[in-house]
Amino acid sequence: MTKFNTINLNELKSYFKNVVYLDIETSGLNASLYGNKSKSEILEIGAIKFTDGTPSVFHTFIRPKFGIPETIFDLCEDLNAEDLNNGIDISEALFKLSNFLEDLPLICHKGKFQHAFLTSYYREHSLNFKNEILDTMELFALLEPYHKEFNLDYFIKQKLSGSLNYEKNRALEDAKDTILVLNQVLENNNITIFLNDYSINLLNWNWLSYLTNYSTHVETEKIFKGSMPISSINMKTERKKIGNLKLIKECEESLKDIELWKEISPNYIFRKAQYEVTKNVRKSINQKAFSIMEAPTGTGKSVAYLLPSIYSALHGERVFISTNTKELQNQLVSKDIPNLLNAFNLNNKLDYKVIKGKNNYICPEVLDDLLKHSLSNQLPDRLGLVYLHRYASNGKFGDIEDINQWVVDNFNLKPVVTLCNAGNDGCDINSCSRLCFYKESIEALDDTNLIILNHALLLRWPYKQEIKNVILDEAHNLRDLLFEVYAERISSLDIIKLLDEIVSKDGQGALVYVWRSLKNKENSSIDKIREYISSAKASIDAIGKVSKENMNLLYNLDISFNKDFANYSKVLTAMKILIEDLNLVYRPLKKLIDYNNLDDENSKNKKGIILVKKCDKLKAIIDFLNSFIMPEEEFKCNGFVCNKDSFFWEAYIKDLNPANYFCDRFLKTLDSCVFLSATLKTSGKYEDLKKALAINSVEDKQTIEITDIDNTFDLKKRAIICATNDNISYDSSNFISYLVENILKLTSIVPGNILVLFTSKNRQENFKNLILPELNKRHIRLYENKKDVVHLKDRSKKSVLIGSKGFFEGIDVAGDGLNCVVLEKLPNISPTDPLFKKLISKQKVDYAYGEINEPRVLTSFKQCFGRLIRTEYDFGYFLVMDGGTNSRIWSKIGKEYPGVRLYHSSIDSIIKSMPNNYKSWESMNFDKLILETKEQLATELKKVNFKDYKILEDTLNDFYKTKFKEKKLTKSINLYIENKSINAYHESDNSQAYLKNKNILFSVLKSLI
Ligand code: SF4
């Protein structure tokens, strides 16, 4: 019996006298059979019952019928297969549980999850699950909405400070922790005020009567602790040691202060490449120039551009740092910038801000209105409003992306958030006096010299602060992003949203708000407009329906097509009907606005102004649809997207040459701009990038092109690129089984973990379903979330991580944990995509597809390859499972990696060659480590009594274990010694100590003695 089966009941008190606190552990997330996913099993149940305040306990293991996924043992501390196999049968467990629970209410964390499993399993065993479930996760979200996470582990860390009891994920322990955390949350919040503020919106919520009882009987009795004002919330953060580095104008010089850097970051090494990038970013800002730099993986480019940016920002120059991904933005703001400010002792000396588009912030003013007037009968909607109001009303929080995904789903927040974001047409921060996070963030920009944002916002910058200095990280994404950012597009959702904002089904909307104050209604009727709106909505759905008629939508969720596709003409016909419907809505609205002078610039009627803006938007949509149905212009691409699972559609018109626009509207207005990425060159040059972004069109601007930043790592010695030529194509029916079969082989050959990258989500899903049972049999873990990348660092448990395009970037595993990356096929563009098709048709060269495809494939390939080698100690195979037949692209790939071994062969012979290579890479690491640590080792060995070789061997082991850890290598030194037959031994006659078969160590020892 493990320690998690016993609980000290004396330490527990519950504010609710007759309830059961319950938790279950399961083998997965599927409470019922869904599609081809199998049902997960309940493995452990723990419950603590209070009867008139007196606790008793229920605990059981349940014998699994099917295989246990290995990942369960990562999640549940001390859970083992033996305990589970000795467990009772599920039917017996449910029978006993049912008797224990009686008809008492259950308090569970993540109650819907527990409810889904219990109802499903009760039903399967002819039992009726009828207990009410009160979800603490829901309660915590409403009482303390500012948290970014709401899982139990997180709350244990936050609330039970000093407790080591977190991340155990054991049923009984979690039931106990639910009690302790709930008590803390109740005590930290003023429940009486909460109930007074939101009583109407909380109607029918099952916690309501329990909280009312608590507030009347308990809260008034205890010494009232009061609620913690949200404005004073400070999350626990670790404080780091302040560094002694000095930031001077030639900031790259500070990178040479190795000892000072090591005080902050013990693994710091001086990298010439990082020095060069820092110097050139500084030059670019100082000399008001452009610069283009491909900084290979491992350069440390974030620090490289942050140093000169921070220096410039401190000296009055505003710098914008733009990234493509949210992950990098988060990394800069939550890690890199604070760490650097700390290292240079600049904390509190520089303000930096992340800024997003208007739509990303909650508007508390609209929210106040919605809370008062919401007519929704749906409980989740009303709770969602309460959540948002508590989250955003005091101006301390308001970033929509910071809202936890579980909260978004549980309270059905998406529709509300589209109504109450700052992007609504009534927001004018100059005239609004409401406390608001968005307004505070925008106003703070005036005093902020370091601004972090994403490329899309940067290219459409809507705020007044001038953009003069820009660092564009992940700049390789700009090539295709320009087409998207500068496209005109309308989706079915955009139109429905706008129509709802005018008059929604549940009686809200701009027209409804303004209607009562209108003096002149001139025969208009809201009901008539509502009728036109519903007919327009029906036409929107009709377009979605005809667009996918007779279409094979098996593989992708969204399909993009143009006039060459049969359904296109049907779409245009349906679109004409929609245009007419929208005109029927527009005309009476416009009349109302004109009769009542709502668009008078001096109008004080704020609600009227909102209606005017909505009406203008409607006109813009009608104009766009009218231009969409016209014949396609020569340098434009008209395309249409439909969706496999819904009537969603989108129509777009893309400019074939967005770079000109980018250049005129953006580049030409800048003083300095740095284009940075690990993948910017093609065939060693930036010509292709310069052309794609029209960089050369900026006259009189110095452009610094740095083409010789050396790869920090010795790729020639440490990586092999190979592609299979097994004559099996990725689109053949047995490709997935071929992939599964060979990945399974690799798991027994590759010494570390494996990353498998897919270019199609569908193939990824099929692969997962086929390989999962096999991996379970072999006790190998399969992961598919980005956050699970941490498991790839650990070589003591074998893991396979799978992912698609989002995993081509941002998977960083330093050390020898990940040493095989598999790409299912080359990431070629689709020649049927309307944009690429049109771009290809405009090429005046023989190999037009290649002209458009190759730079994109090379960029994606290099991004994928970048996952393999992250430190000077990394090594491994980059394997493309369907290498294809395009020798031209392979020759270009070869040129990107001069000296790196690259070949095509059968998968069998590739696999056969692996063991020797892995062995030699591991030896190489060992040798490298010995060389690097020779002096330290000598000092260490001087302390050793050589007369006992065992002591010598242990000393070596201890020494190298520490060194391995520092280098993020996970293989044990003992294994290295074993593999290399290294034995320390002592020759008694001359008191010498030797290490057999290892010359370097031998000589180290010799020179010591
Ligand atoms: S400033 Fe804009 S977003 Fe903020 S409360 Fe006022 S209207 Fe809403």
Side-chain angles (χ1 to χ4, degrees):
M1 185 171 272
T2 71
K3 58 183 170 166
F4 296 108
N5 304 348
T6 50
I7 288 286
N8 179 6
L9 292 178
N10 294 332
E11 67 180 25
L12 295 178
K13 73 165 186 204
S14 167
Y15 283 119
F16 308 106
K17 298 293 169 220
N18 291 295
V19 290
V20 181
Y21 294 83
L22 174 131
D23 186 64
I24 58 175
E25 301 302 335
T26 61
S27 66
L29 303 177
N30 306 323
S32 49
L33 289 168
Y34 176 70
N36 52 4
K37 289 182 180 166
S38 53
K39 184 172 171 172
S40 309
E41 296 186 84
I42 301 178
L43 301 176
E44 188 184 17
I45 303 174
I48 301 169
K49 177 163 75 176
F50 285 84
T51 315
D52 292 329
T54 307
S56 55
V57 160
F58 175 88
H59 175 262
T60 188
F61 289 114
I62 296 157
R63 197 168 46 247
K65 288 194 177 134
F66 307 103
I68 308 163
E70 283 296 307
T71 43
I72 198 76
F73 299 115
D74 290 343
L75 290 172
C76 303
E77 188 182 330
D78 272 5
L79 184 71
N80 58 55
E82 197 189 339
D83 278 344
L84 292 177
N85 290 329
N86 289 335
I88 59 176
D89 187 71
I90 179 77
S91 55
E92 186 186 346
L94 294 177
F95 179 74
K96 285 183 174 169
L97 177 70
S98 174
N99 285 338
F100 180 79
L101 298 181
E102 307 167 54
D103 56 359
L104 290 172
L106 311 183
I107 297 183
C108 311
H109 201 73
K110 218 173 183 183
K112 280 188 180 140
F113 176 81
Q114 330 260 354
H115 183 263
F117 269 92
L118 291 173
T119 41
S120 167
Y121 274 93
Y122 265 57
R123 200 180 313 119
E124 197 180 303
H125 292 85
S126 309
L127 291 163
N128 185 15
F129 182 76
K130 50 188 183 320
N131 303 64
E132 175 184 30
I133 289 193
L134 296 143
D135 187 356
T136 42
M137 194 146 158
E138 198 168 85
L139 178 70
F140 296 170
L142 291 191
L143 290 177
E144 301 189 354
Y146 42 81
H147 294 287
K148 286 192 178 171
E149 291 177 49
F150 290 94
N151 60 54
L152 190 60
D153 292 340
Y154 170 85
F155 267 82
I156 292 169
K157 282 179 214 169
Q158 288 289 323
K159 298 289 171 187
L160 310 181
S161 56
S163 166
L164 297 172
N165 294 339
Y166 54 80
E167 285 183 8
K168 284 173 183 159
N169 291 317
R170 296 300 305 273
L172 197 53
E173 195 73 12
D174 281 357
K176 183 195 88 179
D177 287 337
T178 303
I179 302 174
L180 299 178
V181 175
L182 172 63
N183 291 351
Q184 281 290 313
V185 172
L186 289 172
E187 287 166 13
N188 287 347
N189 288 277
N190 189 328
I191 304 299
T192 311
I193 293 182
F194 171 73
L195 294 175
N196 284 347
D197 286 352
Y198 301 105
S199 53
I200 296 174
N201 308 81
L202 300 174
L203 211 68
N204 298 334
W205 185 41
N206 62 0
W207 272 106
L208 188 59
S209 58
Y210 293 86
L211 291 182
T212 309
N213 190 34
Y214 172 84
S215 82
T216 13
H217 299 299
V218 186
E219 196 168 63
T220 44
E221 279 169 25
K222 70 187 163 75
I223 302 168
F224 182 59
K225 293 186 181 177
S227 66
M228 197 188 297
I230 291 180
S231 53
S232 71
I233 302 294
N234 273 321
M235 303 299 176
K236 288 173 192 169
T237 46
E238 282 175 32
R239 286 199 70 79
K240 287 205 166 175
K241 187 173 168 267
I242 290 173
N244 292 313
L245 285 151
K246 295 274 166 292
L247 193 61
I248 55 167
K249 191 172 179 192
E250 286 76 25
C251 43
E252 66 275 10
E253 294 304 323
S254 76
L255 294 168
K256 293 178 178 167
D257 294 333
I258 297 171
E259 293 312 313
L260 294 180
W261 278 101
K262 283 198 169 183
E263 285 175 14
I264 289 289
S265 170
N267 290 332
Y268 177 82
I269 47 164
F270 174 77
R271 283 171 275 188
K272 191 163 175 293
Q274 190 175 41
Y275 179 90
E276 284 304 314
V277 176
T278 310
K279 186 172 85 185
N280 285 300
V281 173
R282 172 180 65 79
K283 274 175 141 183
S284 189
I285 299 174
N286 290 349
Q287 297 172 7
K288 300 193 185 313
F290 287 179
S291 57
I292 311 175
M293 282 177 269
E294 179 172 292
T297 315
T299 303
K301 67 179 159 45
S302 313
V303 169
Y305 62 70
L306 282 173
L307 285 180
S309 303
I310 290 174
Y311 182 88
S312 301
L314 283 166
H315 291 83
E317 200 79 64
R318 185 178 283 136
V319 180
F320 288 77
I321 296 177
S322 181
T323 71
N324 193 56
T325 56
K326 226 186 330 178
E327 284 95 349
L328 182 54
Q329 239 179 59
N330 290 342
Q331 182 199 308
L332 291 175
V333 177
S334 59
K335 194 171 134 222
D336 296 346
I337 298 177
N339 284 354
L340 277 181
L341 294 179
N342 199 42
F344 285 88
N345 199 359
L346 293 168
N347 293 319
N348 307 324
K349 300 227 166 72
L350 178 71
D351 247 351
Y352 57 95
K353 282 251 162 333
V354 180
I355 194 75
K356 300 173 180 175
K358 259 183 149 184
N359 290 348
N360 291 283
Y361 300 93
I362 304 274
C363 168
E365 198 183 54
V366 179
L367 203 53
D368 290 345
D369 210 39
L370 283 175
L371 199 72
K372 272 188 226 137
H373 299 112
S374 170
L375 301 178
S376 174
N377 290 324
Q378 302 298 316
L379 185 64
D381 296 357
R382 282 188 276 118
L383 296 182
L385 279 178
V386 173
Y387 171 87
L388 285 174
H389 198 258
R390 282 181 65 77
Y391 174 66
S393 64
N394 71 354
K396 176 129 173 124
F397 301 95
D399 186 332
I400 292 170
E401 277 181 8
D402 284 346
I403 300 176
N404 176 279
Q405 191 54 44
W406 174 85
V407 170
V408 174
D409 298 339
N410 190 63
F411 297 133
N412 189 26
L413 286 191
K414 272 195 186 141
V416 194
V417 161
T418 53
L419 281 178
C420 68
N421 65 61
N424 80 70
D425 298 315
C427 172
D428 173 6
I429 55 172
N430 298 320
S431 64
C432 179
S433 56
R434 180 72 166 85
L435 201 62
C436 148
F437 181 72
Y438 168 65
K439 190 166 56 173
E440 301 262 306
S441 305
I442 299 305
E443 285 172 355
L445 286 182
D446 282 336
D447 305 318
T448 308
N449 276 350
L450 193 59
I451 296 172
I452 322 299
L453 73 176
N454 65 37
H455 295 338
L457 177 63
L458 182 81
L459 298 179
R460 289 183 292 217
W461 183 243
Y463 306 120
K464 68 175 197 298
Q465 290 73 17
E466 262 194 324
I467 301 180
K468 287 292 165 194
N469 302 296
V470 176
I471 314 284
L472 289 160
D473 195 355
E474 301 177 319
H476 60 277
N477 290 292
L478 285 169
R479 176 203 305 270
D480 285 338
L481 191 68
L482 294 189
F483 290 105
E484 301 305 320
V485 169
Y486 297 130
E488 294 177 84
R489 49 162 46 93
I490 284 296
S491 76
S492 52
L493 292 183
D494 296 332
I495 311 177
I496 291 170
K497 178 173 171 261
L498 180 68
L499 295 174
D500 279 342
E501 285 168 357
I502 295 169
V503 188
S504 73
K505 260 206 306 247
D506 58 3
Q508 297 182 43
L511 180 60
V512 181
Y513 295 147
V514 84
W515 186 258
R516 263 172 264 129
S517 62
L518 290 180
K519 291 192 184 87
N520 197 347
K521 295 178 179 134
E522 282 299 315
N523 302 329
S524 287
S525 120
I526 282 198
D527 288 340
K528 203 77 201 147
I529 294 175
R530 199 176 269 131
E531 235 173 72
Y532 294 141
I533 284 179
S534 42
S535 135
K537 283 184 182 170
S539 303
I540 292 169
D541 281 354
I543 296 174
K545 202 170 167 194
V546 295
S547 67
K548 55 184 183 180
E549 265 175 19
N550 307 322
M551 197 190 270
N552 177 7
L553 286 169
L554 193 62
Y555 291 109
N556 294 316
L557 203 58
D558 287 342
I559 302 284
S560 189
F561 58 85
N562 66 356
K563 59 183 178 347
D564 302 335
F565 192 76
N567 288 0
Y568 195 76
S569 61
K570 292 184 197 167
V571 166
L572 293 193
T573 310
M575 211 170 261
K576 283 177 192 157
I577 299 170
L578 173 63
I579 293 171
E580 198 34 54
D581 287 339
L582 293 178
N583 271 319
L584 287 175
V585 180
Y586 172 73
R587 285 186 209 116
L589 278 183
K590 180 71 180 134
K591 244 187 206 175
L592 270 181
I593 288 166
D594 291 346
Y595 285 164
N596 292 281
N597 288 329
L598 294 179
D599 52 354
D600 177 354
E601 275 182 10
N602 302 318
S603 172
K604 295 264 182 299
N605 186 342
K606 195 170 174 186
K607 287 175 177 168
I609 294 168
I610 295 178
L611 184 66
V612 172
K613 290 191 177 167
K614 306 279 177 215
C615 192
D616 291 347
K617 270 192 178 175
L618 184 58
K619 177 76 172 66
I621 289 176
I622 295 169
D623 290 347
F624 171 80
L625 294 176
N626 270 322
S627 54
F628 184 80
I629 58 173
M630 298 301 280
E632 187 179 70
E633 289 178 39
E634 189 180 353
F635 290 99
K636 297 270 164 100
C637 162
N638 291 16
F640 186 88
V641 180
C642 69
N643 180 270
K644 181 183 165 205
D645 294 333
S646 69
F647 287 159
F648 169 86
W649 55 264
E650 182 186 80
Y652 61 79
I653 303 179
K654 291 179 184 169
D655 194 322
L656 293 194
N657 226 331
N660 292 341
Y661 196 81
F662 170 69
C663 177
D664 291 343
R665 295 292 174 97
F666 181 71
L667 286 184
K668 283 184 180 172
T669 65
L670 301 179
D671 284 346
S672 73
C673 185
V674 176
F675 298 87
L676 254 178
S677 163
T679 53
L680 289 180
K681 286 189 272 184
T682 13
S683 306
K685 294 187 182 139
Y686 296 123
E687 292 317 306
D688 187 72
L689 179 89
K690 287 196 289 182
K691 194 172 147 207
L693 305 184
I695 297 173
N696 279 349
S697 309
V698 186
E699 287 157 14
D700 306 324
K701 182 60 78 183
Q702 183 197 358
T703 304
I704 307 165
E705 292 179 40
I706 311 293
T707 49
D708 56 356
I709 299 171
D710 284 339
N711 213 311
T712 317
F713 315 127
D714 192 350
L715 297 183
K716 287 194 280 266
K717 286 195 184 148
R718 295 193 158 260
I720 293 177
I721 299 171
C722 43
T724 66
N725 57 8
D726 282 336
N727 211 7
I728 176 161
S729 163
Y730 71 92
D731 53 3
S732 75
S733 58
N734 46 1
F735 180 71
I736 296 298
S737 29
Y738 165 79
L739 203 55
V740 167
E741 183 192 329
N742 288 300
I743 297 294
L744 287 173
K745 282 186 198 162
L746 287 178
T747 57
S748 59
I749 303 277
V750 174
N753 302 305
I754 301 171
L755 170 67
V756 189
L757 298 170
F758 292 83
T759 60
S760 144
K761 268 267 174 208
N762 183 63
R763 279 195 296 277
Q764 180 187 326
E765 191 61 25
N766 290 344
F767 171 82
K768 182 184 121 186
N769 291 337
L770 208 57
I771 202 168
L772 192 56
E774 295 303 319
L775 291 177
N776 282 341
K777 274 187 220 157
R778 293 163 171 81
H779 304 293
I780 297 169
R781 285 121 166 101
L782 180 85
Y783 297 102
E784 53 181 335
N785 289 321
K786 236 180 180 177
K787 67 177 172 43
D788 286 321
V789 69
V790 289
H791 297 291
L792 297 186
K793 293 177 184 162
D794 179 4
R795 272 174 59 170
S796 64
K797 295 162 190 155
K798 184 78 86 181
S799 303
V800 175
L801 176 70
I802 57 173
S804 55
K805 213 153 180 235
F807 286 53
F808 288 12
E809 300 182 32
I811 299 284
D812 298 333
V813 185
D816 61 358
L818 170 66
N819 37 40
C820 181
V821 175
V822 179
L823 178 62
E824 50 137 12
K825 69 181 263 292
L826 285 182
N828 292 310
I829 59 163
S830 160
T832 58
D833 177 276
L835 176 68
F836 292 135
K837 202 168 182 179
K838 185 98 185 234
L839 287 173
I840 291 165
S841 75
K842 292 283 164 203
Q843 292 297 310
K844 294 187 175 67
V845 290
D846 290 345
Y847 187 52
Y849 174 76
E851 283 295 305
I852 301 299
N853 183 47
E854 281 165 7
R856 289 171 171 84
V857 176
L858 287 175
T859 302
S860 297
F861 187 96
K862 282 159 79 178
Q863 286 296 331
C864 295
F865 179 82
R867 305 305 109 223
L868 183 66
I869 309 288
R870 308 297 305 177
T871 75
E872 58 195 320
Y873 279 87
D874 285 17
F875 56 83
Y877 273 84
F878 187 84
L879 175 59
V880 183
M881 288 303 279
D882 174 8
T885 51
N886 187 339
S887 55
R888 184 177 140 137
I889 193 82
W890 276 106
S891 123
K892 291 203 169 184
I893 290 171
K895 285 187 189 140
E896 296 292 331
Y897 301 100
V900 175
R901 211 173 142 210
L902 186 154
Y903 66 95
H904 286 63
S905 186
S906 70
I907 186 69
D908 288 340
S909 75
I910 292 171
I911 288 178
K912 208 168 154 199
S913 71
M914 285 181 161
N916 279 342
N917 286 316
Y918 278 116
K919 220 175 212 174
S920 90
W921 281 321
E922 294 195 324
S923 300
M924 203 189 287
N925 267 355
F926 192 42
D927 295 347
K928 184 171 161 59
L929 210 56
I930 289 169
L931 275 175
E932 282 175 0
T933 53
K934 215 170 153 180
E935 277 180 28
Q936 293 166 349
L937 176 64
T939 317
E940 214 45 43
L941 291 181
K942 273 182 189 157
K943 302 172 194 163
V944 180
N945 171 10
F946 291 119
K947 287 192 171 144
D948 183 348
Y949 84 85
K950 185 74 183 82
I951 294 177
L952 177 63
E953 200 177 68
D954 287 349
T955 310
L956 279 170
N957 276 333
D958 290 345
F959 179 79
Y960 279 114
K961 261 182 204 161
T962 318
K963 293 293 145 199
F964 268 47
K965 226 174 175 181
E966 280 170 15
K967 302 291 175 194
K968 301 194 167 83
L969 303 171
T970 56
K971 191 163 182 181
S972 137
I973 183 70
N974 292 313
L975 275 173
Y976 278 101
I977 289 182
E978 216 172 90
N979 286 348
K980 295 173 79 71
S981 314
I982 297 172
N983 289 307
Y985 70 94
H986 167 241
E987 281 187 9
S988 55
D989 55 336
N990 57 6
S991 301
Q992 294 271 330
Y994 299 99
L995 286 174
K996 247 189 347 199
N997 299 336
K998 195 72 197 109
N999 293 333
I1000 294 169
L1001 275 180
F1002 178 82
S1003 62
V1004 169
L1005 293 173
K1006 218 169 166 190
S1007 66
L1008 279 171
I1009 295 165

